[in-house]
Each structure stands twice: as structure tokens, then as C-alpha cells.
Amino acid sequence: MKVAILDDYFDTLRTLPCFERLAAHDVTVFNDHVQELEPLAERLRPFEVLVLFRERTEVRAPLLERLPALRLISQRSVYPHIDIDACTRLGIIVSSSQHPGTASYAAAERTWGLVLAAMRQIPQQMAALKAGTWQVGVGSSLRGKTLGIYGYGRIGRVVAEYGRAFGMTILVWAREPTAMQWPRAGAHSSSHPMCSPCTCA
């Protein structure tokens, strides 16, 4: 099959083990972004499969109607950028794994990169170093402080685990179904019509 992988800005997909599964197919990887209707339709017209990187490219009815060969759209996570009704009408399958229960380690790691950068003033220290100054402050420690997390899902749960590793008190605010998971994680929760706070050391 002719497969198009869109918006792979840093050409990362070729480096993943799963890319080997496409070895028997005719694969084209696009590292740039095109959203204008006619140029995008012209680019994608020969392809039977589109592999999308999240919501980077909108796939609406006017585009789909210009892609007669298209049979499958594959991506991961939510798909507000795909016209599902148009895909159904045109007989195009949309395959998107919502990966429930799978921790989002990448998002949690980026979150902690920002937390550490803010608390230890890393951007300011780097700027000072480049300007020829050795140090402009010492920042603040995380141990003993309270970390507030809104939601305890795929991202929040991992952020909380990292916070505990830093010796922080974790305060979570989440909906009741999620709050029910806290006792199994060694936390405590209290009831609320919509949300529940949870404190865990």
C-alpha cells in the first residue's frame, strides 16, 4: 500500500522499532507541514493510507473528497481534526488508539523539566553564564514543598510519582471516578459532588 506519514518534523518515526512493520509498503515521510487545501490534496492524492501526528494537519471533508485512493487514516489519541462523518460517508477507516491506562511519561517528564527549570532558575543561570557571570542565585529546593495537580489521569499520576520521589507533598484535585484510585495508590481522598482533593506524602 502507498502510505503517507505527515508532519514528522524531526524525522523521528523512522527511528522507532514500529517503523519496520511498514517495510513491505511504499512509505513516504513528509517532514514539512502543508495545510492549504489544493496543495495538500495534490500531495496526498496517490496515497491509500495517511499516518497523522496528532492534530497537526486538519483532515476535513473538502480534503477527503479529493483523495479517491484513501482507505485508512491512522494515528494515536484524540481526533478532533478529522471529519469522522465524512470518513464514514466515503468508506475511510479511522484507526486511533486512545491508549487508556497507558502512562504518559513524555508529558510528565517535560512537566518536570519545567518545574526544575523554574525552581532552580536554570534559564536565568544559563543566560548569566553566557554573559560571563558565574551564578546569579541558588533557586529553591523541592523537598518539603506541596505540588498541586489538577487531574489524576495518564499524565497527573506520573507527575505525582515524580513529585513523591523529590520528597514533596502531593495535592490532587480530580473527578470522583479518578479519586477512587487513590487509596490503591496509597493516598487519601474525600468526597465532593464533582471533584475530590487528595493529599499524599
Side-chain angles (χ1 to χ4, degrees):
M1 300 184 75
K2 293 182 68 64
V3 180
I5 299 174
L6 276 59
D7 302 307
D8 188 2
Y9 301 151
F10 303 106
D11 208 21
T12 55
L13 200 55
R14 300 177 199 269
T15 68
L16 302 179
C18 61
F19 190 76
E20 296 178 1
R21 298 184 179 185
L22 298 175
H25 301 282
D26 181 4
V27 180
T28 301
V29 179
F30 294 101
N31 305 126
D32 60 343
H33 175 73
V34 175
Q35 188 60 71
E36 294 79 8
L37 179 57
E38 294 303 335
L40 184 58
E42 183 64 26
R43 167 181 283 192
L44 301 181
R45 188 168 288 115
F47 294 100
E48 300 164 273
V49 179
L50 299 183
V51 179
L52 307 182
F53 266 74
R54 296 294 299 263
E55 301 97 58
R56 292 178 180 176
T57 295
E58 290 191 5
V59 182
R60 306 296 184 191
L63 174 62
L64 293 166
E65 291 165 354
R66 288 167 168 80
L67 304 178
L70 186 60
R71 295 293 175 264
L72 171 66
I73 299 174
S74 176
Q75 69 150 51
R76 195 175 187 207
S77 197
V78 296
Y79 42 86
H81 55 302
I82 301 175
D83 189 332
I84 298 298
D85 291 338
C87 287
T88 301
R89 173 169 53 84
L90 296 168
I92 300 168
I93 297 171
V94 176
S95 174
S96 182
S97 171
Q98 301 298 304
H99 42 82
T102 303
S104 183
Y105 294 108
E109 289 169 6
R110 290 186 176 93
T111 298
W112 274 98
L114 295 172
V115 170
L116 290 169
M119 294 300 292
R120 287 297 180 180
Q121 303 173 342
I122 294 175
Q124 296 91 329
Q125 301 289 357
M126 288 298 298
L129 186 62
K130 290 178 180 179
T133 303
W134 167 239
Q135 194 172 23
V136 293
V138 295
S140 300
S141 175
L142 293 171
R143 178 166 293 278
K145 289 187 170 58
T146 298
L147 175 66
I149 302 174
Y150 185 77
Y152 199 63
R154 299 175 49 249
I155 301 173
R157 189 176 293 111
V158 181
V159 171
E161 291 175 0
Y162 293 161
R164 284 192 282 269
F166 279 101
M168 302 184 75
T169 297
I170 311 300
L171 180 63
V172 175
W173 194 265
R175 293 181 181 274
E176 196 66 35
T178 307
M180 294 173 64
Q181 301 175 22
W182 292 332
R184 294 197 296 272
H188 304 283
S189 65
S190 61
S191 61
H192 186 278
M194 289 298 293
C195 300
S196 295
C198 153
T199 304
C200 36

